Amino acid sequence: MSKQVRLGASSITVNPVGLGTNAVGGHNIYPNLDDEIGREIIRTAIDEGINFFDTAFYYGPERSEELIGQVVKEHGSRDKIVLATKGAHRSVNGEMELDNSPSFLRQAVEGALKRLQTDYLDLFYIHFPDEGTPKDEAVGTLKQLKDEGKIRSIGVSNFSIEQLTEANKDGYVDVVQSEYNLFKRDVEKDILPYTSKNTISFIPYFPLAAGLLGGKYTKDTTFNDGRAKNPLFQGETFLRNLEKVEQVREIAQAKNAEVAHVVLAWYLTRDSIDALIPGAKRPDQVINNLKTLDVELSHAEIEKIDNIFT
């Protein structure tokens, strides 16, 4: 078991490498997922010492939470597991709408408790901000649920700095989750300084930039999914991005590590990034993700990676 890190100002501690589970039961996100493979991914993670699982109502919808709940119950390890889930989506006439209202957030938490087969959630995030609900009012509802023992800590996801500041008016936010990777560093301007100053943990999603920072692609790689329209994968931009990845590969090879491990290790050197939630579509990928914890970067290497992507 690796060292444990604290999430924000909460009492919750986790392995710095957790598991993002949108490919466990996320049938609306990835085609042709196998639920039994999803369960095996969770089993493998628990057996390998991962104790931080990130899911959401939206993944499935609902199915990811259900599969995780099944495995945690069969494993009998609830007290050793940190379950984080997210809510904000409501289905209206077959369409998903965002709702942060107090009444809906209560419904979202109660639904997640049932699907995860537990009587408390370690971390509950507002998945996306809606347009109408005051953010401090939404977070205030989560504080009430925390006082009731139904959640242990409070998170917000995909909030702007203005929305985060409003949400944290009373100091209740423990964790922020947003997109962040070496190609998309907007949060360094305002969100990361705010989380660092206010003892809030920042959890990045899409840390490997749709696989581009995994070091697996070449100039001849073609894409027939969403990456085909992603600006990072277009023409000369794609070639320049590959050159940057190759510079990281030099560092990785010197450490007998993979590019992805070095990139993920770099994130853990950033202020307020206390834990990561890389995903996995197979059990062996779960084990591979944990190799991140074997990578130690020198100050010079940290600075070099920073400069490559500046």
Side-chain angles (χ1 to χ4, degrees), residues 256-307:
N256 196 29
E258 295 177 18
V259 172
H261 301 146
V262 170
V263 170
L264 294 173
W266 185 86
Y267 297 139
L268 289 173
T269 70
R270 306 291 87 187
D271 283 348
S272 81
I273 298 183
D274 299 309
L276 305 172
I277 48 168
K281 292 182 180 176
R282 303 188 312 269
D284 62 287
Q285 292 174 330
V286 173
I287 297 170
N288 190 51
N289 287 341
L290 284 168
K291 294 179 182 177
T292 297
L293 297 173
D294 297 328
V295 175
E296 292 189 17
L297 297 173
S298 68
H299 290 298
E301 289 165 337
I302 293 168
E303 187 173 342
K304 181 177 180 180
I305 293 169
D306 192 7
N307 290 335

Side-chain angles (χ1 to χ4, degrees), residues 2-198:
S2 73
K3 69 171 185 175
Q4 300 286 292
V5 295
R6 188 176 303 278
L7 292 180
S10 77
S11 61
I12 297 170
T13 58
V14 299
N15 184 320
V17 174
L19 179 67
T21 64
N22 64 2
V24 174
H27 298 281
N28 57 338
I29 301 172
Y30 299 104
N32 306 314
L33 291 178
D34 182 309
D35 281 357
E36 185 49 40
I37 292 175
R39 293 186 191 92
E40 194 56 36
I41 287 170
I42 303 301
R43 293 185 191 109
T44 299
I46 295 173
D47 290 344
E48 293 294 325
I50 289 176
N51 67 341
F52 184 29
F53 294 86
D54 180 274
T55 185
F57 163 84
Y58 185 79
Y59 305 162
E62 302 186 346
R63 191 59 178 150
S64 180
E65 291 175 327
E66 290 171 350
L67 295 176
I68 293 168
Q70 291 168 13
V71 174
V72 171
K73 185 173 184 180
E74 81 180 22
H75 211 278
S77 52
R78 178 65 186 99
D79 61 333
K80 298 180 176 65
I81 297 297
V82 174
L83 293 177
T85 192
K86 303 180 281 291
H89 294 87
R90 150 198 308 279
S91 181
V92 179
N93 298 322
E95 298 291 326
M96 287 290 187
E97 296 183 359
L98 296 175
D99 191 342
N100 298 170
S101 67
S103 60
F104 180 74
L105 289 177
R106 279 193 168 273
Q107 291 176 33
V109 167
E110 293 293 348
L113 289 170
K114 290 189 176 100
R115 290 185 292 275
L116 286 160
Q117 301 188 53
T118 183
D119 55 5
Y120 67 94
L121 305 171
D122 297 285
L123 170 58
F124 184 86
Y125 294 93
I126 300 173
H127 200 166
F128 283 88
D130 69 7
E131 293 186 359
T133 309
K135 300 309 156 212
D136 56 331
E137 182 179 318
V139 167
T141 300
L142 297 186
K143 175 60 165 61
Q144 292 172 6
L145 288 161
K146 182 178 177 180
D147 291 343
E148 294 166 17
K150 293 185 176 179
I151 65 177
R152 293 179 63 205
S153 61
I154 295 168
V156 296
S157 180
N158 300 296
F159 276 40
S160 68
I161 185 61
E162 293 78 17
Q163 291 164 333
L164 172 57
T165 302
E166 181 185 355
N168 195 46
K169 186 177 78 172
D170 298 307
Y172 296 149
V173 175
D174 299 299
V175 186
V176 170
Q177 185 175 140
S178 288
E179 183 175 0
Y180 175 63
N181 58 62
L182 283 163
F183 289 117
K184 185 176 175 59
R185 301 176 66 172
D186 304 6
V187 297
E188 292 179 358
K189 300 172 191 167
D190 46 28
I191 300 281
L192 285 180
Y194 182 90
T195 56
S196 181
K197 180 181 178 182
N198 289 277

